[in-house]
Amino acid sequence: MGEDTPTGSADEAPRSDALVIFGFTGDLVGRKIFPALYAMVKKGELSVPIIGVASSKWSIDQLHQRVREGVEREGGVDDPAAFARLISLLHYVSGDYKDAATFGALKAALGGAQRPAHYLAIPPSLFATVIQQLGAAGLAAHARVIVEKPFGRDLASAIELDAVARSVFTESSIFRIDHYLGKEAIMNILYFRFANSFLEPIWNRGHVASVQITLAEDFGVGQRGGFYESAGCLRDVIENHLFQIVALLAMEPPAYQSFEAVQRAKASVFHAMRPLTPDGVVRGQYLGYRGEKGVAPDSDVETFSALRLHIDSWRWAGVPWYLRSGKRLPRTAVEVLVQLQPPPQALFDDSRPADGRANYVRFKLQPASAIALAARVKRAGKGFVGDQRELYLCEETPSDESAYERLLGDAMAGDGALFTSQDAVVAAWAVVDPVLENHHPSLPYAPGTWGPQAADALIAPDGGWHNPAAEVCP
Ligand code: BG6
């Protein structure tokens, strides 16, 4: 893999000549997509018409205001000329996705564009309707479709949705987005593992005792209660974002230099994951969730999930993987802790520290990117006692390219390297499918805590959770 993402096809593939965004007035577009579009325009990477589609009857002025608010939230308008260019590219079509007239209006708005990229930033329940309408309106030929996660609601619907998508679009024109794959720190897991040789000898069941990953957020569902009620934490972030991190950590070295080989190696991890069982999953719900807008007063939807996962492969047999995510936790952070086995013999009194953390490798993925290797070193003095210290590699010049900027640009260029394959999507759903409906009730937890106590009990045999700290670079 070279400096870019060499799939081999991106160079030959023609660039999309318009970007259509469904769900234009939604939360995701407001928070992440407007800032990404602004950055792309600013860098000269986006100059084609952008057509927003949504059901809200917004005036163009309202829309411009929303775009400005979105950009302001992420650093502000520091280049008024670029912002004006972005505004001049915007068009808006409002209408019901079930109504063919909406797609007639979209066709008119597309004007002479021949190869639009249709980005579906809408709830999964609407994907099939929109894809079918695009096909029926003749808007799919030479076009690309970018589908937001979660791709389906369960195993059966993911397979069904894929059939619908493929009846309208070719496989190479379907881009299944998981924005975690466009994050610099997550791409660095792949690089760090395979650009170094010292990890490989210990990166297996012989040396790794357990792995844990936490994706914590200090905020609640906000305006997304309606969406969240149909998703829950497991579908929203675990089956996709956290599983992608697991795949990058657990995969075998790609057999050759290509992203296709990476995709295959990652998909093999999903295939080797043991399907979850209700006893291996703790579900939680923050107190106050039931009062959020769009949430049922008796909702059992989980805003927190902690689970134990097994990868039944030669490399990982017997190593537990603990995944945890939740809203309204003490802070917003994503961290991985790969816990290594303690030395075979306790030659010093403090060789087995009380918290059970022998050596470990820690990947801090958010808010900043860092990698820490923890080892015990002797304290000065006569006694053979020491401390656990970290060798800390900190990214001091974070990338200014957001995940969405990267991924939208790649999809419009026809480069599928950082997107999820259908094989991986189906295999991942097969792991969570048994617990989507069949599970223990959600346990309440107080906002600002690390979730229900049952989650601590789940990981207790393996030394407990590592709670991400506030520090970025020491
Ligand atoms: C989205 C989820 O996919 O990822 C959200 O729908 C979650 O619920 C978000 O907050 C987290 O993404 P990031 O990039 O902010 O860590």
Side-chain angles (χ1 to χ4, degrees):
M1 286 154 276
E3 289 193 2
D4 276 320
T5 48
T7 53
S9 60
D11 288 346
E12 303 113 48
R15 285 193 73 85
S16 301
D17 57 3
L19 176 62
V20 180
I21 303 180
F22 291 88
F24 206 60
T25 56
D27 175 80
L28 169 68
V29 174
R31 277 185 309 123
K32 308 238 178 177
I33 306 304
F34 290 151
L37 296 177
Y38 170 63
M40 289 165 84
V41 170
K42 206 162 76 171
K43 291 177 186 162
E45 290 165 2
L46 181 65
S47 55
V48 298
I50 303 164
I51 297 138
V53 190
S55 54
S56 315
K57 301 231 171 305
W58 285 17
S59 70
I60 199 77
D61 285 345
Q62 263 176 308
L63 211 67
H64 292 173
Q65 185 51 30
R66 265 293 280 253
V67 178
R68 184 174 284 280
E69 282 162 15
V71 175
E72 297 284 358
R73 231 176 290 135
E74 287 287 320
V77 177
D78 53 357
D79 183 343
F83 188 78
R85 279 204 303 286
L86 170 62
I87 292 294
S88 73
L89 295 174
L90 288 181
H91 305 261
Y92 183 56
V93 171
S94 91
D96 187 339
Y97 298 144
K98 295 197 188 83
D99 185 355
T102 308
F103 293 79
L106 171 59
K107 197 168 193 167
L110 276 166
Q114 300 293 312
R115 300 180 306 279
H118 301 290
Y119 173 35
L120 275 47
I122 49 179
S125 54
L126 295 170
F127 288 168
T129 307
V130 171
I131 289 174
Q132 277 158 341
Q133 292 277 18
L134 286 171
L139 291 170
H142 313 296
R144 299 187 170 108
V145 66
I146 308 165
V147 189
E148 250 312 319
K149 52 111 296 223
F151 194 72
R153 288 202 77 246
D154 52 21
L155 180 58
S157 62
I159 293 172
E160 213 173 288
L161 177 58
D162 188 54
V164 173
R166 289 202 210 201
S167 69
V168 176
F169 291 92
T170 58
E171 172 62 14
S172 63
S173 55
I174 304 172
F175 295 79
R176 299 172 194 84
I177 219 166
D178 181 319
H179 77 280
Y180 267 53
L181 291 177
K183 287 183 186 256
E184 193 57 42
I186 288 177
M187 290 191 262
N188 192 28
I189 298 178
L190 179 70
Y191 186 83
F192 187 73
R193 272 199 64 197
F194 299 118
N196 297 304
S197 62
F198 70 93
L199 274 185
E200 182 57 17
I202 57 165
W203 213 249
N204 54 54
R205 64 191 304 275
H207 294 270
V208 175
S210 66
V211 183
Q212 54 169 290
I213 310 177
T214 296
L215 189 169
E217 296 177 321
D218 64 4
F219 48 87
V221 295
Q223 298 302 308
R224 301 169 74 221
F227 158 75
Y228 210 80
E229 280 285 277
S230 68
C233 180
L234 192 61
R235 285 188 178 92
D236 186 38
V237 295
I238 298 217
E239 180 269 345
N240 30 70
H241 302 334
L242 286 189
F243 272 25
Q244 290 295 337
I245 298 174
V246 172
L248 289 167
L249 290 164
M251 66 190 268
E252 294 304 314
Y256 51 96
Q257 202 194 79
S258 100
F259 270 96
E260 195 193 352
V262 175
Q263 302 266 27
R264 288 215 189 114
K266 277 172 54 194
S268 298
V269 175
F270 298 126
H271 283 288
M273 285 178 180
R274 197 183 300 169
L276 297 173
T277 59
D279 287 346
V281 180
V282 173
R283 302 170 69 247
Q285 188 186 81
Y286 65 78
L287 291 166
Y289 172 72
R290 292 178 184 182
E292 303 271 23
K293 193 170 152 227
V295 172
D298 59 350
S299 174
D300 178 55
V301 166
E302 81 286 1
T303 60
F304 173 98
S305 190
L307 56 92
R308 186 174 43 234
L309 185 71
H310 291 277
I311 301 173
D312 292 324
S313 68
W314 189 274
R315 185 186 288 264
W316 296 114
V319 177
W321 291 67
Y322 296 97
L323 313 188
R324 168 177 73 154
S325 180
K327 301 226 181 261
R328 285 224 190 283
L329 299 188
R331 62 179 49 88
T332 298
V334 183
E335 280 201 24
V336 173
L337 192 122
V338 180
Q339 179 69 61
L340 301 176
Q341 304 276 10
Q345 220 186 342
L347 292 178
F348 309 105
D349 289 346
D350 69 344
S351 285
R352 291 170 191 267
D355 72 355
R357 299 222 184 286
N359 304 148
Y360 60 80
V361 183
R362 184 162 73 89
F363 295 86
K364 197 173 178 74
L365 305 173
Q366 267 181 197
S369 170
I371 298 175
L373 309 175
R376 293 193 73 77
V377 281
K378 188 182 164 303
R379 234 180 266 161
K382 283 190 185 147
F384 278 86
V385 285
D387 300 297
Q388 182 85 303
R389 305 268 289 276
E390 285 188 339
L391 291 162
Y392 202 85
L393 304 166
C394 188
E395 184 55 80
E396 276 156 12
T397 48
S399 162
D400 72 336
E401 190 182 46
S402 72
Y404 274 104
E405 215 182 310
R406 168 81 192 245
L407 295 174
L408 288 178
D410 280 7
M412 290 179 74
D415 185 345
L418 296 179
F419 294 82
T420 320
S421 69
Q422 174 64 8
D423 181 27
V425 167
V426 168
W429 275 120
V431 179
V432 299
D433 209 55
V435 298
L436 288 175
E437 301 300 332
N438 179 22
H439 47 229
H440 296 299
S442 285
L443 303 167
Y445 63 95
T449 65
W450 288 102
Q453 280 179 354
D456 298 335
L458 182 79
I459 198 176
D462 284 289
W465 291 106
H466 155 75
N467 293 329
E471 114 279 359
V472 179
C473 291

